[in-house]
Amino acid sequence: MSELLDTFIGESRENLESASQELITLQTNGYDAKAVDTIFRDIHTIKGSSDLFDIKPLTRLAHASEDLLDCLRASEIPFSDELGDVLLESFDQISTFFDELEAGTHQLSQWEGVSAELAGRLRNFMNTTDAPSGNEATQPVENAVEAPAGIAAPVAALPETAANWLSSMSDTARLTLFFKSQESTRLHYFHYTPDADCFFRGEDPFNVSLATPGFITHTITRKSHVEGPEDVFLCHLDILLLSSADWDSLSSHFAYYEGQYEHTQISAEQVYQQCAPLISQILNEEEVETLAQALENEGPEQIARICNFVCASTNPDSAVWQFCAGIERLTENPAMLSAFCQCLFATPDTAQTEETPVADDVSEESIAEAAPTQPAESEGLSENALAMLKQQETVLIRLIDGRGNQGALASINLIVSRILNLDIVDRTPEDLLRVIASEGEQNDSQEAPDATDIQAPAVADTEAPVASEQAAAIDDVSASANKPVAEATQAEPAEAKPEPVSETSAKPAERQVPRTLKVNQEKIDYLMDLVGELTVAKNSLPYLARQAEEDGGSRKLSKQIKSHFTIVNRLTEELQSAVLQIRMVPVSHVFQRYPRLVRDLARKLNKKIELEMQGEDTEFDKNLIESLSEPLIHLLRNSIDHGIEAPADRLAAGKNESGCIQLIATPQDDNVVIEIRDDGKGIDPAKIKMLAYQKGVITESQLESINDEEALQLIFAPGFSTSEQVSDLSGRGVGMDAVKTMVTQAGGHIEMQSEVGKGTQFRLVLPQTMSVNRVMMFEVNEQMFGVSMDSVVETVKVRPDEIQQIKNHQVLVIRDKLVPLHDLREYLGFELQTQNVEEQSILVVNTGNGDMGLVIDKFHEGIDVIQKPLEGVMAGYSHFSGTALLGDGRVLLIVNVPELLSCR
Amino acid sequence: MPIIYKQKVAVLDGNCEVDLAEELDAWLAENPKRQLNLKSLTHAHTAIYQVMIKHGISVSVWPADDQDWHWLKVAIDSKLYDEETNP
Amino acid sequence: MKTIMIVDDANTVRTYHRMIVASAQRQVEEAENGVEALEKAMGKQIDLFMVDVNMPKMDGYRLCQEIRRDDALNQVPIIMISTESQAGDATKAFDCGANFYMTKPVDGTTLNDMVSLMLGEE
């Protein structure tokens, strides 16, 4: 090693010389940013190299100099002659150290004092004192294998006191801490052990702790050894403290208490590990199921929406509420949210974490100690090899996300092939991930992998929440498990976030012969959009055909266009229908969660309940399924909670001990009808009436006059269900009006029937597919109407005198064109306007027959609605093309303009 | 501010410094059922808190900003000085 | 015979790393910064790069990007070795095209193992 030391000293002397020269010049000529930067680099190099040798005083002094210079170049502190002098003194001292090293006359014990003193003076300029006992670096260094949060490197264990504290915390406290750690990435943990006689020094430990910058929480514990327990003026207690502030402020705060505390930096991953079981448990709760899915697949807005919903229907004191509130706050910062999701859904290295030798105190861990050791049985891949693979995995994931460097793919191929002893082939990132993942699974299950034979695990645990999303998905796409790598690369690469179109994941038997494709949902949505645009675009063809005839004089051409239009029209409609079909999934997709839900809830309430499901094959639009799921869950809960009686009560009433809930889905025309029937105790209209009256939903006179049927419907009234209907399960009533709103907004409706003592039935009718139209709303006679946005040309407001009369018709001249006007009041059968208005609102539309102006009362905005055709008695009225429900419950009649105008 | 000692309740007001600890300790030792009213307490020295925790006292009134005193509640409830529960 | 290129502006560090990775089957080249590294790599068969972050003229991140852009060099594995140890640095290294990230001072055994793996040695 002395050769290395010589090299070090030789190089460092040069750097020192150059730095000193620059510093003197600086003092003469005044502050110069570039010069400071150069000096910093020189000292940085010295410090970096000095780390290789175990000469603490030297490193300490170099480090203090480096930190001071760093502050200077960041302009955090001003340069002064005094500062420059101390720096020079330090440089000279380092040079002296080198002299002694070379001469072999160095005495490290003497060096300690000198170094500490100088370092202290240097740090005074930064207003910080030296790092506390045992810590060399001010920023404790992490494991050698540094990796992005939660994915690659195994996580070191927390200090014992910290781990104990965290596990003794209440769920809500731990969750609060968890979310704080997500926000701050690094937390600082202090084990503050004030001296027993500290009071006599005027110290006040509890308050020091409470006043800590970035204070999150602290707890008090007994000292391990207590002297004079009866003496109130001795300190008998220790404090465990967590803070989110930066180390500089913290070390400054604790400056006077050196030697009375131990400090450890704690990473978000470590906190996550402590909270993982709790979070996992919460995510498995029924109320949070949609949230769990959303966290994997949806964006921040959707996640926030769901959190909001769950919070509104759960007990604020519960862990679930806490969790959702925390997630909702996280959604405000998409980067953090995505880091959190990565953390949640990355493969937790539970197996590997246990194998890795773990240091008790992260802060004292030097890089050398962090090196993973080889496992005793080296049949599998070595720790290092696995770590290397994990890092390749990280890079690949970033590549797929579009953030990495595509040029790196070749080298990754090389490395993976070499580690796994495969042929070097030009694989895609997705393939590489699959290869790595199957290797990783082999190692987890501790089978001895035959390095030349890549086997996907025989039975893919497709439901395991632990398995990495990519691994499971990509496994599904490949054909069989035993084919060599080369063939597997020809399998269709799945997207980074695959969304199963049909439930391949639920049928392991079919994995060998896939009959289905996993397709990214975004692709389908895009396809839908294109089809939508095509639909609109094709509509102008007849119009153009007419133009060709009228302006161009070509009737033949016009005919040809029209005939082709018929074909295009039919194809477009079929295309739209086919794409919609792709999005259809069977309701079993949603139903399959329910048996377990019912079982768990029933058990919690000590009730016996059987769930019967029928019609699970009924198909439903994927997008609509979620809007279906939440209301159903609420209804099921209500049924279990308030509907089905306790076994004893049931027997007393002459019923079976076991209650029955039926969940039936049936297609009906363009709709799907879903019924939930229970044979419970039914809803008592009298009670409902009383409750409604108490809540002010109905008046006293209504209390008398309302009949039983109307009374039952009151449960849907807004303001009806609040804390009165306290559920044992969720601590707060579940809003039937919320359920109703969800259903109607999805374009459906909900009915309820109930008989006291016999049971209750809910009937949800929902449109099978979603067809969204854009309409422009307008008002006539204070009623809202809509007209397809496709046909709207423009909106104008004119003064009455601008309207002209030509042969009994009212017309308007717009940009030299004559636009005939039609007063919609007349056509819609309202009284004509008798008063004079200052200006008339006119909606100019074109439905293929030239522009025309509709005289209306007021314009409103354009909205997207789900248009439903008129049914029943109204079906014959062609002047409305359909209806839509507005968010506030009003019905919008959508006008079919040509039809309306043609009938007088 | 000095502590006001009533029959069964001691009222801690404003800022309570280390020197008040001894008297409080003695007073609480006389009758374990005595309680503390912390409603107007703004600041107390560690020694005072230590006495509270030692006796596992019962607080009759907590200060208005309830949440910030959670750590103290936990500490008092955990009977830190009780050899049986905290060996 | 495989060739490793060590790129670091500190002589001491280059020497140290050379001491760790040199062997009968491996040859070691050195460069002080990114520019020199690319110059020296031209026309040569390099099997592994060990790259420091903080260097004058062209830093480690930039060097990685240049290596990945080069047709002749882009499949060569890169280990990035840095004094920094913040959460984003590894990510940044990966995004620039590094395959592995370590912080100084490195553990000799680990470094040697990683080199061995990347070179595909038995």
Side-chain angles (χ1 to χ4, degrees):
Chain A
M1 263 288 213
S2 69
E3 182 211 314
L4 193 63
L5 190 60
D6 289 339
T7 311
F8 166 60
I9 295 177
E11 177 184 47
S12 302
R13 275 201 199 277
E14 276 178 38
N15 286 329
L16 209 54
E17 186 60 40
S18 135
S20 306
Q21 289 291 351
E22 286 278 358
L23 189 51
I24 292 170
T25 317
L26 208 64
Q27 282 188 311
T28 324
N29 296 346
Y31 182 82
D32 173 53
K34 227 169 150 205
V36 173
D37 201 54
T38 314
I39 302 174
F40 170 79
R41 287 188 180 284
D42 285 331
I43 304 301
H44 175 73
T45 306
I46 295 178
K47 190 257 168 200
S49 304
S50 80
D51 272 337
L52 301 173
F53 312 92
D54 209 11
I55 311 175
K56 288 204 164 65
L58 172 60
T59 308
R60 185 183 201 164
L61 186 52
H63 194 185
S65 311
E66 182 194 25
D67 283 349
L68 182 56
L69 285 160
D70 205 8
C71 285
L72 262 179
R73 73 171 183 159
S75 300
E76 280 168 29
I77 50 175
F79 181 74
S80 65
D81 278 345
E82 210 191 313
L83 193 153
D85 285 342
V86 182
L87 268 175
L88 272 174
E89 215 185 306
S90 307
F91 294 172
D92 287 342
Q93 184 57 56
I94 294 176
S95 183
T96 311
F97 283 163
F98 288 154
D99 291 338
E100 290 185 27
L101 275 170
E102 273 181 325
T105 56
H106 52 279
Q107 283 182 305
L108 290 187
S109 48
Q110 285 183 348
W111 282 20
E112 287 282 352
V114 170
S115 160
E117 193 260 331
L118 263 174
R121 277 199 281 150
L122 284 167
R123 292 201 181 274
N124 272 336
F125 287 102
M126 294 184 275
N127 288 320
T128 59
T129 54
D130 235 331
S133 50
N135 280 7
E136 267 313 295
T138 46
Q139 292 291 343
V141 198
E142 300 253 333
N143 293 338
V145 182
E146 172 70 58
I151 294 186
V155 175
L158 290 170
E160 202 183 317
T161 49
N164 287 342
W165 180 23
L166 258 65
S167 41
S168 71
M169 276 185 185
S170 70
D171 285 352
T172 39
R174 215 176 325 156
L175 279 175
T176 309
L177 180 62
F178 171 69
F179 283 111
K180 260 259 166 327
S181 74
Q182 288 292 310
E183 285 162 42
S184 319
T185 322
R186 296 241 193 290
L187 299 181
H188 293 271
Y189 168 73
F190 288 83
H191 184 179
Y192 183 12
T193 50
D195 294 335
D197 58 353
C198 67
F199 296 169
F200 294 107
R201 294 199 295 263
E203 289 175 17
D204 188 1
F206 285 19
N207 288 297
V208 169
S209 176
L210 286 168
T212 308
F215 177 85
I216 299 175
T217 180
H218 74 182
T219 192
I220 315 292
T221 64
R222 264 248 308 247
K223 280 191 182 299
S224 40
H225 173 70
V226 177
E227 295 171 3
E230 289 316 302
D231 189 342
V232 292
F233 292 128
L234 290 181
C235 185
H236 303 125
L237 303 170
D238 287 343
I239 306 174
L240 307 180
L241 164 68
L242 279 165
S243 163
S244 62
D246 61 287
W247 172 246
D248 279 337
S249 336
L250 287 171
S251 67
S252 164
H253 179 72
F254 280 98
Y256 290 113
Y257 309 106
E258 261 202 63
Q260 293 187 73
Y261 65 91
E262 271 162 39
H263 160 262
T264 315
Q265 200 168 267
I266 291 184
S267 66
E269 300 87 73
Q270 287 173 300
V271 179
Y272 173 69
Q273 283 222 326
Q274 287 287 329
C275 299
L278 172 63
I279 292 181
S280 193
Q281 190 195 325
I282 291 179
L283 284 175
N284 276 331
E285 296 274 341
E286 317 77 45
E287 304 133 300
V288 186
E289 242 179 295
T290 38
L291 178 60
Q293 290 208 338
L295 282 168
E296 266 185 88
N297 304 319
E298 308 277 358
E301 303 82 30
Q302 176 72 349
I303 293 174
R305 190 184 79 80
I306 295 181
C307 286
N308 215 318
F309 182 84
V310 178
C311 281
S313 51
T314 28
N315 187 340
D317 289 332
S318 68
V320 171
W321 191 95
Q322 186 84 3
F323 183 71
C324 292
I327 302 275
E328 199 180 342
R329 272 195 305 274
L330 259 187
T331 57
E332 285 161 35
N333 186 330
M336 257 189 245
L337 180 67
S338 109
F340 167 69
C341 291
Q342 277 198 322
C343 205
L344 268 188
F345 299 111
T347 318
D349 295 326
T350 39
Q352 292 182 6
T353 322
E354 281 149 64
E355 283 162 17
T356 314
V358 142
D360 273 351
D361 190 348
V362 168
S363 64
E364 305 218 298
E365 192 173 2
S366 72
I367 296 299
E369 286 166 356
T373 56
Q374 304 282 348
E377 10 75 66
S378 44
E379 277 203 302
L381 291 175
S382 67
E383 288 283 343
N384 283 343
L386 285 170
M388 173 73 76
L389 278 183
K390 277 270 178 271
Q391 293 218 348
Q392 301 321 295
E393 203 174 48
T394 309
V395 186
L396 285 167
I397 290 169
R398 287 192 75 79
L399 262 182
I400 290 173
D401 275 348
R403 278 173 290 181
N405 188 329
Q406 291 296 331
L409 193 55
S411 57
I412 299 175
N413 254 304
L414 195 69
I415 294 173
V416 172
S417 311
R418 283 180 170 162
I419 294 181
L420 299 177
N421 242 311
L422 306 170
D423 285 327
I424 296 168
V425 163
D426 230 335
R427 298 180 201 93
T428 63
E430 293 83 5
D431 278 338
L432 283 166
L433 278 174
R434 185 180 59 79
V435 168
I436 295 175
S438 54
E439 195 57 46
E441 278 171 16
Q442 295 245 308
N443 271 281
D444 279 348
S445 53
Q446 285 175 334
E447 292 164 32
D450 185 346
T452 54
D453 187 2
I454 298 302
Q455 308 220 7
V459 177
D461 192 359
T462 51
E463 280 189 347
V466 167
S468 131
E469 178 81 355
Q470 282 91 356
I474 295 168
D475 267 331
D476 274 348
V477 171
S478 75
S480 73
N482 289 318
K483 299 209 174 130
V485 172
E487 243 186 84
T489 57
Q490 287 157 23
E492 328 225 330
E495 293 292 324
K497 286 194 257 178
E499 188 74 27
V501 171
S502 55
E503 59 317 4
T504 49
S505 44
K507 299 178 187 168
E510 292 188 87
R511 284 185 71 248
Q512 297 295 323
V513 185
R515 294 179 302 189
T516 52
L517 270 176
K518 273 197 185 176
V519 182
N520 188 325
Q521 175 151 349
E522 278 168 24
K523 287 186 177 173
I524 304 275
D525 287 343
Y526 182 52
L527 196 55
M528 274 300 296
D529 284 344
L530 286 175
V531 171
E533 283 185 51
L534 183 60
T535 308
V536 172
K538 72 152 168 55
N539 283 337
S540 27
L541 285 177
Y543 177 58
L544 290 173
R546 209 159 298 119
Q547 289 263 9
E549 197 174 320
E550 288 165 17
D551 295 347
S554 170
R555 176 164 293 175
K556 188 173 167 199
L557 185 61
S558 162
K559 270 193 155 157
Q560 281 178 319
I561 293 179
K562 283 186 198 170
S563 105
H564 268 89
F565 168 71
T566 317
I567 300 172
V568 171
N569 199 30
R570 181 179 55 80
L571 287 173
T572 310
E573 279 174 13
E574 282 185 40
L575 182 62
Q576 187 171 45
S577 172
V579 175
L580 279 171
Q581 279 298 314
I582 294 179
R583 285 217 312 220
M584 302 282 269
V585 292
V587 286
S588 57
H589 191 79
V590 156
F591 279 18
Q592 66 194 19
R593 311 174 199 164
Y594 297 153
R596 200 193 132 207
L597 171 78
V598 171
R599 205 176 51 234
D600 287 350
L601 291 180
R603 206 176 300 147
K604 262 191 214 168
L605 297 173
N606 291 320
K607 295 185 182 174
K608 294 204 176 138
I609 305 181
E610 269 169 38
L611 177 68
E612 259 176 47
M613 302 200 293
Q614 285 176 37
E616 294 130 291
D617 294 332
T618 312
E619 289 199 328
F620 213 59
D621 185 293
K622 176 104 179 63
N623 284 6
L624 285 182
I625 280 240
E626 286 310 318
S627 58
L628 174 64
S629 172
E630 286 170 21
L632 280 183
I633 290 178
H634 287 309
L635 292 175
L636 278 173
R637 274 235 197 85
N638 273 344
S639 213
I640 298 171
D641 208 2
H642 306 291
I644 308 280
E645 316 90 321
D649 296 334
R650 285 184 67 87
L651 286 173
K655 297 185 187 174
N656 282 339
E657 200 184 32
S658 204
C660 177
I661 300 181
Q662 286 179 309
L663 183 58
I664 306 169
T666 343
Q668 202 185 75
D669 299 333
D670 277 335
N671 299 320
V672 171
V673 178
I674 303 200
E675 286 171 71
I676 300 184
R677 299 189 199 153
D678 71 55
D679 61 353
K681 64 180 189 242
I683 302 179
D684 186 351
K687 283 201 191 136
I688 301 295
K689 269 201 278 191
M690 269 322 284
L691 273 173
Y693 171 60
Q694 279 167 359
K695 287 189 193 323
V697 173
I698 55 172
T699 63
E700 198 169 332
S701 60
Q702 285 173 311
L703 189 60
E704 303 290 314
S705 62
I706 290 185
N707 67 23
D708 282 353
E709 248 190 66
E710 290 167 323
L712 285 178
Q713 299 306 317
L714 284 173
I715 61 168
F716 292 117
F720 177 79
S721 48
T722 45
S723 52
E724 227 54 66
Q725 267 197 301
V726 170
S727 154
D728 299 329
L729 302 171
S730 47
R732 204 180 279 191
V734 164
M736 284 309 294
D737 61 319
V739 172
K740 183 173 178 188
T741 310
M742 280 188 275
V743 172
T744 46
Q745 280 197 327
H749 63 264
I750 179 170
E751 294 160 14
M752 186 259 299
Q753 280 184 320
S754 182
E755 205 180 321
V756 176
K758 291 262 175 72
T760 310
Q761 285 157 39
F762 282 96
R763 193 161 177 272
L764 281 75
V765 180
L766 288 153
Q768 211 177 18
T769 63
M770 221 165 65
S771 78
V772 177
N773 300 63
R774 194 146 178 89
V775 302
M776 170 136 196
M777 296 196 291
F778 59 89
E779 208 177 296
V780 178
N781 203 41
E782 288 176 54
Q783 249 186 276
M784 291 293 268
F785 295 93
V787 69
S788 169
M789 199 61 107
D790 295 344
S791 53
V792 174
V793 175
E794 61 182 302
T795 58
V796 289
K797 280 190 176 167
V798 296
R799 294 189 315 278
D801 56 0
E802 288 179 59
I803 300 176
Q804 306 179 14
Q805 287 263 47
I806 296 184
K807 286 189 196 166
N808 263 355
H809 292 285
Q810 291 193 310
V811 298
L812 192 62
V813 179
I814 302 178
R815 293 184 296 275
D816 297 333
K817 243 185 1 184
L818 233 59
V819 177
L821 296 179
H822 301 272
D823 192 338
L824 274 191
R825 278 178 165 259
E826 185 188 338
Y827 289 89
L828 290 169
F830 297 123
E831 281 175 28
L832 293 180
Q833 192 129 52
T834 43
Q835 325 151 274
N836 279 331
V837 286
E838 281 193 4
E839 24 169 53
Q840 285 284 16
S841 299
I842 305 204
L843 189 60
V844 184
V845 298
N846 187 320
T847 49
N849 271 320
D851 288 358
M852 62 184 87
L854 304 174
V855 182
I856 57 171
D857 291 351
K858 244 203 255 181
F859 301 121
H860 284 276
E861 70 273 26
I863 54 167
D864 287 326
V865 294
I866 297 169
Q867 184 168 314
K868 306 201 65 196
L870 296 166
E871 286 172 337
V873 188
M874 293 286 286
Y877 286 77
S878 55
H879 28 278
F880 294 111
S881 60
T883 56
L885 249 175
L886 294 177
D888 59 1
R890 284 185 294 175
V891 174
L892 191 74
L893 283 165
I894 299 172
V895 174
N896 183 334
V897 175
E899 291 291 327
L900 181 67
L901 298 181
S902 66
C903 57
R904 300 265 188 135
Chain B
M1 307 277 305
I3 301 177
I4 302 167
Y5 294 98
K6 303 193 185 172
Q7 272 251 320
K8 293 239 179 96
V9 175
V11 181
L12 276 68
D13 189 19
N15 187 359
C16 292
E17 277 305 336
V18 55
D19 48 315
L20 303 173
E22 206 167 22
E23 198 183 2
L24 182 62
D25 182 50
W27 185 80
L28 285 171
E30 281 173 14
N31 183 346
K33 293 216 180 110
R34 285 174 166 165
Q35 296 186 319
L36 295 185
N37 181 329
L38 306 181
K39 183 166 156 203
S40 315
L41 179 66
T42 54
H43 178 276
H45 188 273
T46 302
I48 307 280
Y49 291 133
Q50 197 168 245
V51 168
M52 290 187 204
I53 294 170
K54 170 180 164 190
H55 291 276
I57 51 104
S58 154
V59 175
S60 62
V61 186
W62 286 92
D65 50 347
D66 196 45
Q67 269 306 91
D68 295 342
W69 298 83
H70 190 71
W71 63 272
L72 185 57
K73 280 186 201 160
V74 168
I76 293 174
D77 289 342
S78 63
K79 301 193 184 173
L80 283 176
Y81 280 69
D82 190 331
E83 282 301 319
E84 281 177 30
T85 55
N86 276 288
Chain C
M1 183 67 115
K2 307 268 183 159
T3 307
I4 302 175
M5 162 99 61
I6 299 180
V7 190
D8 193 309
D9 62 336
N11 192 2
T12 314
V13 175
R14 292 198 303 273
T15 311
Y16 176 56
H17 288 166
R18 177 195 277 273
M19 286 165 65
I20 294 173
V21 305
S23 77
Q25 289 82 37
R26 304 174 191 161
Q27 198 178 4
V28 178
E29 292 277 341
E30 292 182 29
E32 277 188 12
N33 55 62
V35 174
E36 205 185 305
L38 288 171
E39 280 171 358
K40 285 193 168 176
M42 268 205 298
K44 276 217 196 67
Q45 168 70 24
I46 308 284
D47 297 293
L48 177 67
F49 281 98
M50 283 166 49
V51 175
D52 180 28
V53 171
N54 294 301
M55 297 183 291
K57 290 197 189 163
M58 186 194 287
D59 72 17
Y61 296 127
R62 197 43 216 294
L63 176 58
C64 281
Q65 289 174 323
E66 291 300 324
I67 291 174
R68 291 298 171 228
R69 256 198 274 269
D70 184 304
D71 287 332
L73 293 173
N74 85 344
Q75 84 283 8
V76 180
I78 301 176
I79 298 182
M80 184 158 267
I81 306 180
S82 166
T83 46
E84 314 304 326
S85 62
Q86 279 156 352
D89 295 327
T91 317
K92 190 171 176 190
F94 293 144
D95 284 349
C96 291
N99 298 99
F100 198 76
Y101 182 85
M102 300 178 80
T103 47
K104 289 179 185 171
V106 302
D107 168 69
T109 323
T110 311
L111 177 59
N112 205 11
D113 276 351
M114 293 309 177
V115 168
S116 187
L117 285 168
M118 285 169 144
L119 290 178
E121 295 169 348
E122 288 306 298

